[in-house]
Amino acid sequence: MELDKFEERASKAEEDIAFIKQQIQMLQNSIANNSSKMTDEEFDKLQQENIKLKHRVALLKRAVETSSATTLSTQSNNVISIYDTLCKIMEKAIKDAYPDLIDPPIIVTISTNPKFGDYQCNSPMSLVPLLTSPGKKVIPHDVANNIVSKLEESSLVDKYEVAGVGFINIFLKRDFAQSTLSNWLKIGEVPPPYVKKKRVIVDFSSPNIAKQMHVGHLRSTIIGDSISRLLEYLGHNVLRINHVGDWGTQFGMLIAHLQDKFPNYSTVAPPLQDLQAFYKESKARFDADEEFKKRAYECVVKLQAFEPEITRAWKTICDISRKDLEKVYTRLEVRLTERGESFYQTRMQSIVKELESKNLLEDDNGRKVMWGEERTGVPFTIVKSDGGFTYDTSDMAAIKHRVEEERADWLIYVVDSGQSLHFQILESCAKRAGILKSFHRMNYVGFGVVLGEDKKKFKTRSGDTVKLVDLLDEGLKRALQKLKEKERDKVLSEEELKMAQESVAYGCIKYADLSHNRNHEYVFSFDKMLEDKGNTAVYLLYALTRIRSIARTANITPEELRKRAHDTPISLQHEKEWKLAKVLLKFPDVILNVSNTLYLHPLCEFCYEISCAFTEFYDKCYCVEKDQTGEIVKVDMGRLLLTEATAIVLEKCFALLGLKPVARM
């Protein structure tokens, strides 16, 4: 049985235990309070029920223990987190050395100098204040020695050393590195580190129907896609939601304009090539023509009542717009499940009734508002004074649907930083309403705006918002120009050149975004994105292509390398080989860190670190040796295996970031 099924079973059993314990308590209270009024038969019946419930709890506890044991045994199939493992080793040793300490600080860091080990434990200095008492002086060096004396042998660690005032230097075993990297080679990929599987909903992109996607949607789409890719890789059950704006007043004016311009729209598909221009036309009429505005509002009322003819017009507009959106998503290779605002219309009525029944709504000058748990900031407007609903209502209905109907454990909203307060209030109101429970996790993933090279909000020269499709087209144009400057068009076939062009264009746009701390604004510059030096997509894509070409030069396929990994040890004797291997082994820790923080730039930094470490290795360690005529005279298979392991890790990182490498560039 798969691990996630055991986890689901254990989680359900734990919920059942909690529920049954509540029943037992209620039953015992009933017996205690009413025993004098009961007949012997009634008393015996309640006692028997109590015994049955306790027996049920015992069975469920055994189910949890069985599932936990299965979980632990199955974890061995996943890659090891060095950081987590070292923390557990140190925690046990510290508790053995100082059993009276409660929650001692466990501080493990990566060493910046190989002379002082590969990792360091700095806990002894932090433990000194906890161990010092009047008349008792404690020296960090002695604390470190005491901890080291309690350390047990590990398959990861070669040796420990106490250094300086009380640092514990940790040296990894090369055998461990060889074994781990060889396993990755044998299966041809890096298996994910173990995490407890969850049902996750990632809400991202969210453009408006009838409007073209613009640069403002770029960050949400790219960040949300990468977060989804990473969580899917870890084995979570991920639903990617596109909460599009497909409802509201603007559809009244669009429908009224459609009726005038294409009266036979219900039988003949309207030739709307530019929906954005159509939107501008309808908006101009709405602002200038009172009669048209009145008709537009009437269309909104009819749409909310789901009148068939008006609903058909709405669907026609949505379908046309959806095709335009899909073209962008296809180019960026982004998958989404659309759940627009319209999806929650009937659910909004239900959420209002529920909140009213719980006495959570208050009157505010005709509005019905709801405060969060702390009653600070501003309340949500659940019902407007005219009886209409708001975005607040829609988001409350959506969060209830996602938790109760989609059974989500973890909600992630990828939205610009300007909406942080809204999502803080949403989370607080959902908790107050009892929708979000203590075991639910909700993350607001905010991000800064995209700036032009003038350091102002990214706009066209005419001051309009930059359309995303125009941005992608410009990227293709610039990428082709860059490839031709490097004369790649002379060595690549037409198909290879096109693949390289798309890889560079879309890759540089994505990577430039993801490589920045998402909280910060960043300057959009094609010139910087397309540089082939430094931490850029072009440099990294080229680095992987070059790494892959080494095995091709030796006339050895990836399949052959995987076979050789069974009987040939990876070469880790040279200091540069060992340095590269240690960087690759950090992969599980980087992935776990990103999944916890939902910041993607550390993964980009890791890619660059791999490329730099590989360059150092390749400059000092030959893999394929040729004579003066160009004939291959020697292939170092151990180093070639290290090269392939590097390529496997980089490819996985690129896949998580949404980059698409090519065989030749």
Side-chain angles (χ1 to χ4, degrees), residues 222-224 226-227 230 514-516 518 594 597-605 656-657:
I222 291 172
I223 294 169
S226 284
I227 287 174
L230 187 137
L514 298 172
S515 60
H516 289 84
R518 59 174 168 77
V594 173
T597 65
L598 302 179
Y599 284 95
L600 291 152
H601 64 278
L603 181 55
C604 298
E605 290 165 2
L656 299 178
L657 293 168

Side-chain angles (χ1 to χ4, degrees), residues 295-307:
R295 280 182 51 221
Y297 280 129
E298 288 171 356
C299 287
V300 173
V301 173
K302 291 176 181 178
L303 178 61
Q304 291 172 343
F306 300 102
E307 287 194 10

Side-chain angles (χ1 to χ4, degrees), residues 96-116:
D96 288 345
Y98 303 102
D100 294 334
L101 287 179
I102 299 172
D103 293 329
I106 312 299
I107 306 168
V108 175
T109 61
I110 296 174
S111 176
T112 55
N113 188 332
K115 287 196 302 183
F116 303 123

Side-chain angles (χ1 to χ4, degrees), residues 479-480 482-484 486-504 542 545 552 662-665:
L480 183 60
K482 186 78 174 180
L483 290 165
K484 286 184 174 179
K486 299 286 184 181
E487 299 188 333
R488 306 313 296 161
D489 55 319
K490 295 180 180 179
V491 294
L492 299 176
S493 68
E494 189 175 331
E495 184 180 353
E496 287 174 332
L497 183 63
K498 185 175 183 295
M499 290 174 65
Q501 177 192 13
E502 291 179 352
S503 173
V504 169
Y542 175 71
T545 302
R552 286 202 303 271
V662 290
R664 300 185 68 202
M665 186 175 289

Side-chain angles (χ1 to χ4, degrees), residues 174-175 177-178 181 570-575 577-578 581 638 642:
R174 300 196 187 207
D175 289 351
Q178 283 180 321
L181 296 178
I570 293 173
S571 180
L572 298 180
Q573 297 309 308
H574 193 282
E575 63 170 323
E577 296 170 340
W578 183 222
L642 181 56

